[in-house]
Amino acid sequence: MMLLKMFLAFLGIGAVAFGGGYAVLPLFERIIVDQYEWFTRSELLDMLAVSQVTPGPIAINSATFIGFTLYGVVGAFLATVGVVTVPVVLISVVSVYQQRFKNSKAVQAIFRGLRPALAGLIFASVYTLSGDVMIDQWSYLLFLLFVLLLVKFKVHPIVVILLSAVLGLLIYWP
Amino acid sequence: MIPLFEREFVKRYGFLSDDEFYDALVICQSLPGVIAVNFAVYIGLKLRGRFGALVSALGVTLPSFIIIMVIATFVFRHVDNEYVVAIFKGVRVSVIALVFTAGYRLFIRHRHWYGVFIAFLTFTLVAIAYVHPFLVIVMMGAYGYLTTKIAEVVRHDAS
């Protein structure tokens, strides 16, 4: 039963995972952390970090990770299949009516609302996730440094994560 | 990932023409899901039907599927180690920074009042009012549809 619940959770996440990347985070938080309490916010962040340094899309990687941690290989398989099922079905349907979809005024109108909403969703996650993470002055200092490196100097995300691991170890040395 | 797709599928193998590639990109970005997987399925479907779609979907997800499982086996095993705890205290901050940067990049592309309003409304509803993100996504799609339609009707009446 729990396996089915998890599959359905990821099926639902996949169905509205517009933008594919971090815009799915609020859904992950709400369903996986708040609703089912499978993981804490900090654990979710740890899995995201690992998913980010691993090749492959973050949404898929974190689904695999969460499924595997919960129910082993079967869980990993079901979570991954769950998250891609609705998009794959939609692609198959839409590719048949490709021209009509591309020129559709209705689709364009819907996306006029959806695209900026994705930015709002991502910022919402920054807000709700940071509570457990921004624990002292160091975290704020590191946050500013990392944003500067990413936005201004276009440093690769993997480099920033590796740097944060080294700095974390040095700052919070036991 | 997109430039990689273009190099392989358009330039190297010639599976798609430039126009077809652009059309595919628009469709794959507009539908829910990860672009890489959507794209793979689209190309597989186009070249070899349903079986092709299945094969390319497997091809694009299988490597990370295996790698993630291998890594997952090791990561949470050492979670009680003090040094690992220290490392993840730093790493979590970098993930927040990454997420923030992704939001910022999307946001600056929609700096017109309409986009800023929707982004702000979405943030408030999800983060402050604790409305389910699922509902908010549907609401914002509907909002985009309705406002565009109303603007069309108004323009039509004026002319």
Side-chain angles (χ1 to χ4, degrees):
Chain A
M1 263 334 271
M2 282 306 282
L3 262 177
L4 182 70
K5 246 185 206 166
M6 191 200 66
F7 176 76
L8 291 177
F10 279 105
L11 196 75
I13 290 173
V16 288
F18 292 98
Y22 288 127
V24 299
L25 268 182
L27 285 162
F28 272 31
E29 277 188 74
R30 194 63 59 102
I31 295 170
I32 289 156
V33 178
D34 295 340
Q35 198 175 334
Y36 291 119
E37 298 178 339
W38 285 327
F39 295 102
T40 64
R41 292 208 148 70
S42 306
E43 285 170 336
L44 185 67
L45 278 167
D46 297 346
M47 287 191 277
L48 278 174
V50 175
S51 305
Q52 176 75 55
V53 290
T54 319
I58 308 158
I60 305 268
N61 285 355
S62 34
T64 310
F65 205 142
I66 291 168
F68 183 75
T69 316
L70 285 174
Y71 300 110
V73 181
V74 181
F77 177 77
L78 283 180
T80 314
V81 170
V83 87
V84 298
T85 298
V86 176
V88 165
V89 171
L90 284 177
I91 283 279
S92 321
V93 175
V94 166
S95 66
V96 179
Y97 306 100
Q98 196 173 317
Q99 288 311 317
R100 211 189 297 169
F101 181 84
K102 206 185 75 181
N103 300 326
S104 159
K105 283 236 167 67
V107 173
Q108 283 164 12
I110 290 170
F111 272 91
R112 227 179 126 222
L114 272 185
R115 283 211 186 86
L118 296 181
L121 282 172
I122 296 176
F123 283 134
S125 261
V126 172
Y127 179 81
T128 48
L129 284 173
S130 55
D132 296 335
V133 178
M134 310 306 265
I135 41 176
D136 51 21
Q137 298 97 310
W138 278 113
S139 4
Y140 286 95
L141 203 66
L142 288 180
F143 176 79
L144 289 177
L145 170 73
F146 297 148
V147 170
L148 194 72
L149 288 177
L150 288 163
V151 174
K152 185 97 185 143
F153 298 101
K154 314 249 182 274
V155 177
H156 196 279
I158 293 182
V159 178
V160 173
I161 290 181
L162 292 178
L163 178 71
S164 74
V166 175
L167 289 175
L169 187 62
L170 292 176
I171 292 169
Y172 302 107
W173 189 270
Chain B
M1 207 95 158
I2 305 300
L4 207 68
F5 273 127
E6 191 178 12
R7 201 179 66 206
E8 289 293 309
F9 294 126
V10 180
K11 306 235 157 67
R12 183 150 167 224
Y13 290 109
F15 288 156
L16 298 172
S17 71
D18 278 336
D19 283 348
E20 283 172 331
F21 181 82
Y22 178 73
D23 281 358
L25 197 60
V26 171
I27 289 169
C28 294
Q29 279 175 329
S30 310
L31 294 173
V34 175
I35 295 175
V37 178
N38 288 358
F39 215 103
V41 171
Y42 179 93
I43 290 173
L45 204 63
K46 200 145 189 125
L47 295 176
R48 289 285 184 276
R50 266 185 220 151
F51 185 68
L54 184 70
V55 169
S56 42
L58 276 177
V60 80
T61 47
L62 210 52
S64 35
F65 185 76
I66 293 166
I67 296 171
I68 282 283
M69 285 199 293
V70 172
I71 292 177
T73 315
F74 293 106
V75 170
F76 283 123
R77 191 171 290 171
H78 301 288
V79 85
D80 294 330
N81 181 301
E82 289 170 315
Y83 295 95
V84 177
V85 170
I87 287 175
F88 271 106
K89 272 186 189 163
V91 167
R92 284 174 196 157
V93 177
S94 74
V95 177
I96 299 277
L98 278 173
V99 177
F100 176 84
T101 306
Y104 171 79
R105 288 204 176 121
L106 253 175
F107 182 74
I108 53 170
R109 278 198 283 163
H110 302 281
R111 259 179 309 186
H112 42 82
W113 69 267
Y114 186 87
V116 173
F117 173 70
I118 290 182
F120 182 75
L121 191 63
T122 307
F123 172 83
T124 314
L125 286 174
V126 174
I128 315 287
Y130 204 66
V131 181
H132 202 292
F134 194 93
L135 194 67
V136 177
I137 292 169
V138 175
M139 275 163 63
M140 293 309 147
Y143 181 83
Y145 179 78
L146 288 176
T147 48
T148 311
K149 279 288 155 199
I150 290 167
E152 253 170 43
V153 171
V154 170
R155 216 177 308 138
H156 194 258
D157 285 352
S159 58

